[in-house]
């Protein structure tokens, strides 16, 4: 984590990225370990793309998404929702599913058309 945020702080990617480094470090610290590793990998990819193309919009979008994700992971309701294990639905016969689609009915039993 430190190497990427240090690269941002150093100005290698431009002066506007120096300010982003603190946002990135704060957001990453709010993520669980596996999520932090995935986010760092993705950040490195986005920064490499920025270096190649010169377009920094993907970096800014990624940082905004990272901040939103970090805020969500601190939310009690979000953690509860993520902890729920979704039960498997009743298995359906493929012919019944095809017939339902051909009839144009949605899950509520109303006509989708």
């Amino acid at each position: 984590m430190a190497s990427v945020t240090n690269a941002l702080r150093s100005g290698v990617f431009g002066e506007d990225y120096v300010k982003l480094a603190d946002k990135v470090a704060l957001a990453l610290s709010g993520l669980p370990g596996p999520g932090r590793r995935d986010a760092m990998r993705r950040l490195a990819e986005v920064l490499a793309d920025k270096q190649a193309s010169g377009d920094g919009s993907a970096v800014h979008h990624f940082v905004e998404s990272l901040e939103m994700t970090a805020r969500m992971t601190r939310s009690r309701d979000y953690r509860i929702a993520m902890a729920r294990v979704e039960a498997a639905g009743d298995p359906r016969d493929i012919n019944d599913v095809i017939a339902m689609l051909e009839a144009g009915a949605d899950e509520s039993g109303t006509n989708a058309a």
Side-chain angles (χ1 to χ4, degrees):
M1 180 169 90
S3 61
V4 176
T5 54
N6 287 340
L8 288 169
R9 282 189 185 97
S10 72
V12 168
F13 298 100
E15 284 303 310
D16 55 335
Y17 291 91
V18 175
K19 295 174 188 171
L20 283 179
D22 291 331
K23 289 182 175 185
V24 168
L26 182 64
L28 287 173
S29 69
L31 296 177
R36 191 176 308 130
R37 284 188 297 276
D38 291 342
M40 288 299 297
R41 179 190 48 75
R42 181 67 185 126
L43 176 61
E45 290 171 358
V46 169
L47 289 171
D49 288 345
K50 191 268 186 223
Q51 281 293 91
S53 69
D55 181 15
S57 62
V59 176
H60 289 283
H61 181 264
F62 174 78
V63 172
E64 288 173 6
S65 297
L66 183 62
E67 288 178 310
M68 286 189 295
T69 302
R71 278 193 300 271
M72 283 191 311
T73 59
R74 288 190 297 263
S75 163
R76 179 180 173 271
D77 293 336
Y78 178 80
R79 288 193 311 269
I80 290 169
M82 290 302 293
R84 287 189 194 130
V85 177
E86 195 170 306
D90 292 331
R92 293 194 225 180
D93 181 71
I94 189 65
N95 293 323
D96 292 341
V97 173
I98 292 170
M100 183 183 73
L101 291 172
E102 287 175 347
D106 64 15
E107 289 292 318
S108 66
T110 61
N111 228 357

